[in-house]
Amino acid sequence: MRLLPPADVFSAAFVATRGIIKYDTVMISKNTLVLYKKQPAVVSDTEGDKYIIRFCTAPASPGGKKAVFGTQKVRGKDIAPLTSVPVSSLEAVLAAAGDAGRFSAQITEAWELLLSDDDTAASALPFSELCGLIDAELSPESAWALYAALTGGFEFESKEPAADGAEPLFVPRSAEAVAALKQKADEKEHAAEIRDAFIRRLKNRSLDMPADSRFMSEIEALALGQNDKSKAMHDAGYAETPEKAHKLLLDTGVWAVTRNPHPTRWGLSMHSASEGLAAPPDEERYKVPGVSYAIDNAWSSDPDDAVAWDGEHLWVHIADPASTVMPGSSIDNTARARGATLYIPEGASRMLCEDALSDYALGLNPESRALSFRLTFAEDGAVEECTVLKTLVTVQRLTYEQADAQKDSPELKPLFDIARRNIERRRKAGAVFIDLPEVHITVEPETKKVSIVPASHPESADMVREMMLLAGEGAARFAFLKNLAFAYVGQDAPEIPDDIPDGLAGQYRLRRCMRRRSVGIAPKAHAGLGLSVYSQVTSPLRRYSDLVSHEQLRAFLDGRRPLDKNTMLERISAGDEAAYACKKAERNSNQHWTLVYLLQNPDWTGEAVCVEQKGKQAVFLIPSIGQETLITPDHQVELNQTITVRAGNIDIPNLSVMFIPV
């Protein structure tokens, strides 16, 4: 097909190939039917190298309103010929278009013929060739009707012309593609009926899966907190809440009971940050003599602190991601939006990318780069001086159990002694020590089997805690003396009554007395810890407030301008809000998996300890699974008295369970 210059005389040569009439040469002249912006037009005249076309701007209406026509001067590349024989008029072309349905069977026959021919099944055919295959005696006035039938049908896909001004092309679709298009069209035509049938099935909680899965996506979005409405639930008569949506997904079998929606519901990602940190910079660092110890749970994979005593100073070494994470960078912004690493029984969703651990965690390489806090003490055990240094450290990793076994060794004994002294110092300053049972929950990835074991409380865990508190106290004093905008953590003093009982009941009462902590840029006493000033700086790999404080310290050490107070306040507030969402998601996830554990262990029973009396009811703690519950016992129960209970009425969507005395 080729476009020839405008001419008053139109001629075409035809050749017969494979029984198909094919145009060999086409000339566009007066009264040629062409395609213009996917609508029919007729060439009424030529002017130089351009064509004047006549086309319909407004079709005739059923009420008797006549069609409106207009003219336009166009270039040859803006039109494509549909015939090689002049038409009588545009009105005749439009009139013939009303009979486009007559080509349906012929189009199907042509498609089947082409589909059975391997040589042509995927080839693009010119419109003229397809016309000859479908109707060799096609009148020029009916060419538009056939074109409309082809483009509106299922069997052929319209393609752009091979060259400017060339005729349109069509490609036969595969049988699978045609079947899918027909199904989609049928569903669209009967959409109301199909949806009504789905709503009936939804009311009966008896879905036709997987066909109904497309309708359930909006219900899933509500259950995940991504939408606050569901038209399907509304039409089926259900309350539009995440909990009701969750229950409906369970009842219909779309979700298994192991599906945990809570991180997503709190707007959190279940995957670690993806952007990688740059390699640590090649910079001058102080080489700390001797060996320091990273002490943590056996299952910990992100060691970010280590401690040592050199005979004069306490060293607390912390991972140093702020050596490359700059304030306001994309990594910093992502960490701020996450607030903290999300720890749920399925695993950790890290605030910084997984790959950061190999370069920045402590004890994974022969030498670790750290931001170190070197502390000296006054005679009463208070921090007298804190020096912040960029260091290289040799770190040995120990589990809590290993550290406990070596607590009398020359290397670790001074650390345990410092910890005991610091505990006593804080106790005298009014620190509140609460010891309530905790559990560790894990989920086997493949089987989703849940395990719950009581968390151990080794003495070395207390020692490490005291080392971290001392580092936080020292860092806060350092920042205050250097006039740095910093993330200070405070807590108002609790009002503790005189009649605190013994045992778990007393620990429970103490916890209820505590005030919520606050994070801000102004130094403030932390009454719960018994410290006059405090900051958290020991987990920059997993807490944003720690990371942004490290950024301030690094800016000071590197001679760069640190963040001002207003900017710092905005960033720690945003990070703390996101960290709060993490805590809520972690708490809800732990409760979710605890309920799954109880479903997986229907014969479970456990000991419950009475910690508070409320008339005929009492609050009980169940240490073995970390649960708190309100029970109405069948007899008077004293504080700290135990009863045996079993689980009943387990409600996964509402995170509730009723514990019943056995």
Side-chain angles (χ1 to χ4, degrees), residues 116-281:
S116 66
D117 187 339
D118 292 339
D119 293 332
T120 60
S123 301
L125 287 81
F127 178 62
S128 58
E129 185 174 340
L130 204 49
C131 286
L133 181 62
I134 293 172
D135 187 351
E137 298 180 357
L138 183 73
S139 69
E141 286 78 13
S142 295
W144 165 248
L146 178 55
Y147 178 86
L150 285 167
T151 56
F154 306 115
E155 292 87 353
F156 292 89
E157 180 181 5
S158 175
K159 296 289 186 180
E160 292 295 322
D164 290 345
E167 65 180 308
L169 302 173
F170 285 89
V171 176
R173 290 189 173 102
S174 68
E176 293 80 5
V178 170
L181 287 172
K182 286 182 177 180
Q183 180 180 353
K184 187 175 181 180
D186 182 70
E187 290 174 352
K188 185 176 181 180
E189 182 180 354
H190 301 92
E193 298 172 25
I194 293 171
R195 183 173 176 80
D196 287 345
F198 162 70
I199 295 299
R200 288 193 295 272
R201 292 193 294 273
L202 188 62
K203 287 181 178 179
N204 295 327
R205 291 177 166 82
S206 179
L207 298 183
D208 178 17
M209 298 298 286
D212 283 342
S213 60
R214 59 196 169 121
F215 296 113
M216 297 300 289
S217 59
E218 68 176 69
I219 298 175
E220 286 190 282
L222 176 57
L224 293 170
Q226 297 168 333
N227 284 337
D228 57 3
K229 298 288 183 182
S230 167
K231 189 175 187 304
M233 290 185 66
H234 176 272
D235 293 346
Y238 296 112
E240 298 169 77
T241 67
E243 293 77 16
K244 293 291 185 183
H246 190 173
K247 186 176 190 312
L248 196 53
L249 291 164
L250 294 179
D251 290 347
T252 54
V254 176
W255 280 9
V257 293
T258 53
R259 178 67 181 271
N260 174 17
H262 299 289
T264 306
R265 196 176 290 177
W266 279 94
L268 304 174
S269 172
M270 299 281 280
H271 303 284
S272 297
S274 58
E275 185 176 355
L277 277 65

Side-chain angles (χ1 to χ4, degrees), residues 494-502 505-507 509-510 513 639:
E495 295 183 5
I496 300 176
D498 295 331
D499 58 341
I500 294 292
D502 296 329
Q507 298 300 300
R509 181 83 62 86
L510 280 175
C513 293
L639 291 179

